[in-house]
Amino acid sequence: MSDHMGARRTGASAVGRGGRRRGRRWALAGGTAAAVVALGAGGAGWLAYAKLSGNITPDRAAAAELARYAGQRPSPPVRGAQNILLIGSDSRAGHGNARYGRDGGSERSDTTILLHLSAGRRSATAVSLPRDLMVDVPGCRRRDDSRSEPAFTMFNSAFATGGSACTIRTVEKLTGIRVDHHVVVDFQGFRKMVDAVDGVRLCLPAPIHDTAARLKLPAGRVTLDGEQALGYVRARKSLGDGSDTERMDRQQRFLGALVNKVQSNGVLLNPVRLYPVLDAATSSLTTDPGLANLRGLYDLVRGLHDIPTEQVRFLTVPRESYVNDSNRDQLVESEARKLFDRLRRDAPVTVARKAPHSASDSHEKSDQDSYTQSDDYDEYLTDDGKPAGYRGAAASDPVSPAPTFRGNTAAEDLCG
């Protein structure tokens, strides 16, 4: 989202896209389960099943690029847990996307979310990564097959330079977390998915009139169609303080409302309503090869429908203004490391609309809960990209209190 949630079936590659997970499990969750049953019977059913699977664009170029660096990637997550990188591309390529602005010749990942699914599917944690976060981007393969030089630059330049593979390698270097799958969605894909579920209802604290986003909405409870939803998650300068922080907050609230909509409207149990949702969802996805079919998606999401909405959490990685440029971000190292470590260990985190200034302020510090450069990390990764110095808590270690980060859950209602 940010300049929204989007990517397209055109040109997904190590340098051009990836993307695992469509807007959400939540429409695909029991979704694909029902699809396999409902669409798998008879010749017409098989044709429908094949069409849905064929809609998905596999990102084989990214898979090949990641295989090239297999020895430098972090270790797999705790058994049963999974990490999915959701990438929203602002590409104007593809049918219908040119209307959202001029094509500058490249696409950026203005929205990137790291989604952690716990073992046993007890919870889901979605962490937004700001596009202006200053990070180390490794050398990556460009579209013309040349190689970029490693650089300390804005996070979203990774996608512009080397597509989904470069973004994944950047995220893994930044967090020390292994990305198992990825999904890329573009403007039209996002819009179609919202329309396929008959819109998403949320609560607006104030009226919105944004000419750039073509958005005019009253305060209070409103149901957004796909075009309105796209404007809502992309708008920035005319809403609030015009910051990316508020835009990411809006995106997270919208995703929470989408989770609620899909869980409550019966679409997952009704094949007639389910097919258009799946058709819209799959046709808008570029994914790693492991997810580029209904079976792959089903294997991933089949247990997700049991996650309570209060256990579906949204937050932004702890960050602050970059010391050399107030228009850029940098990590709040101690808090970000705490978050990354807990996700890596599949340990719980909590979110609140107004979290403590420091996540550890409201909890007793412990050996597992207070991190400095000399504690559980020497560095996330060495200069050559290999994991280094991480000595995370063993499974037998006592569980430390779950730190609280600023964020929200899918169960929250701003009008409530």
Side-chain angles (χ1 to χ4, degrees):
M1 295 163 221
S2 215
D3 264 292
H4 160 279
M5 209 161 164
R8 177 108 196 110
R9 303 184 57 202
T10 59
S13 71
V15 27
R17 328 221 130 131
R20 193 263 98 196
R21 233 186 155 21
R22 142 267 173 171
R24 255 62 213 120
R25 66 98 159 176
W26 304 286
L28 277 167
T32 346
V36 170
V37 175
L39 303 176
W46 170 250
L47 289 176
Y49 178 90
K51 177 182 184 298
L52 293 176
S53 283
N55 282 346
I56 307 169
T57 301
D59 195 353
R60 295 191 178 90
E65 179 73 353
L66 292 173
R68 177 188 178 102
Y69 295 95
Q72 299 178 8
R73 302 183 66 190
S75 300
V78 171
R79 184 175 181 179
Q82 285 190 316
N83 301 305
I84 300 97
L85 196 65
L86 310 176
I87 303 173
S89 165
D90 72 350
S91 173
R92 270 63 174 182
H95 178 70
N97 286 323
R99 63 186 294 189
Y100 300 112
R102 297 179 59 187
D103 186 351
S106 65
E107 55 183 327
R108 297 162 297 177
S109 57
D110 278 351
T111 295
T112 305
I113 296 174
L114 179 63
L115 176 65
H116 174 76
L117 306 176
S118 71
R121 300 302 181 263
R122 297 180 303 274
S123 67
T125 304
V127 181
S128 296
L129 300 171
R131 62 180 186 174
D132 293 339
L133 187 68
M134 298 300 293
V135 299
D136 288 308
V137 175
C140 297
R141 183 178 71 83
R142 299 189 183 99
R143 288 175 174 77
D144 62 2
D145 283 335
S146 64
R147 292 273 167 182
S148 66
E149 293 295 323
F152 182 69
T153 184
M154 290 195 307
F155 173 69
N156 72 344
S157 69
F159 193 72
T161 299
S164 51
C166 192
T167 300
I168 290 167
R169 292 178 59 215
T170 300
V171 169
E172 290 184 342
K173 184 175 179 64
L174 178 73
T175 66
I177 296 172
R178 173 75 169 236
V179 173
D180 302 297
H181 298 288
H182 67 274
V183 173
V184 183
V185 187
D186 69 2
F187 293 138
Q188 284 298 311
F190 177 80
R191 181 187 63 77
K192 288 193 299 181
M193 286 187 290
V194 174
D195 284 337
V197 297
D198 297 326
V200 173
R201 191 183 191 202
L202 45 76
C203 185
L204 303 180
I208 295 177
H209 187 195
D210 188 309
T211 55
R214 304 173 188 175
L215 195 62
K216 187 174 183 179
L217 299 168
R221 296 192 186 279
V222 295
T223 298
L224 305 185
D225 63 22
E227 193 69 25
Q228 291 170 322
L230 182 58
Y232 178 75
V233 299
R234 293 184 65 212
R236 180 180 60 168
K237 295 182 179 179
S238 66
L239 300 183
D241 61 9
S243 68
D244 275 340
T245 297
E246 288 204 0
R247 177 158 58 175
M248 285 185 290
D249 287 347
R250 287 195 302 278
Q251 293 169 359
Q252 292 166 6
R253 288 195 295 271
F254 180 85
L255 290 176
L258 177 60
V259 171
N260 267 300
K261 176 62 179 287
V262 173
Q263 284 193 345
S264 65
N265 71 353
V267 66
L268 302 182
L269 301 178
N270 186 333
V272 175
R273 299 186 67 188
L274 175 63
Y275 183 84
V277 174
L278 290 175
D279 192 33
T282 55
S283 64
S284 67
L285 295 183
T286 297
T287 79
D288 59 276
L291 291 182
N293 57 78
L294 282 185
R295 179 65 189 180
L297 289 170
Y298 171 59
D299 286 344
L300 176 67
V301 302
R302 59 186 171 184
L304 295 178
H305 65 283
D306 291 329
I307 297 180
T309 53
E310 61 269 18
Q311 296 301 320
V312 180
R313 308 180 186 95
F314 300 92
L315 66 148
T316 298
V317 65
R319 89 274 190 222
E320 60 192 358
S321 294
Y322 177 47
V323 64
N324 293 325
D325 185 346
S326 62
N327 292 318
R328 303 289 179 260
D329 291 330
Q330 64 185 25
L331 292 180
V332 177
E333 292 287 345
S334 61
E335 301 306 308
R337 289 179 176 181
K338 188 178 301 180
L339 172 63
F340 299 153
D341 177 64
R342 295 189 75 87
L343 295 179
R344 190 168 29 242
R345 292 190 288 128
D346 199 27
V349 299
T350 58
V351 296
R353 290 187 193 177
K354 293 184 178 180
H357 176 67
S358 168
S360 57
D361 286 348
S362 62
H363 301 284
E364 283 187 29
K365 291 188 177 182
S366 67
D367 289 342
Q368 292 79 37
D369 213 17
S370 178
Y371 301 119
T372 65
Q373 193 75 4
S374 60
D375 287 333
D376 283 346
Y377 301 85
D378 295 329
E379 287 290 343
Y380 291 130
L381 302 175
T382 60
D383 290 340
D384 63 0
K386 294 182 180 298
Y390 171 60
R391 302 186 300 278
S396 60
D397 289 345
V399 177
S400 57
T404 299
F405 298 91
R406 181 179 175 276
N408 64 282
T409 73
E412 292 182 30
D413 183 350
L414 293 183
C415 283

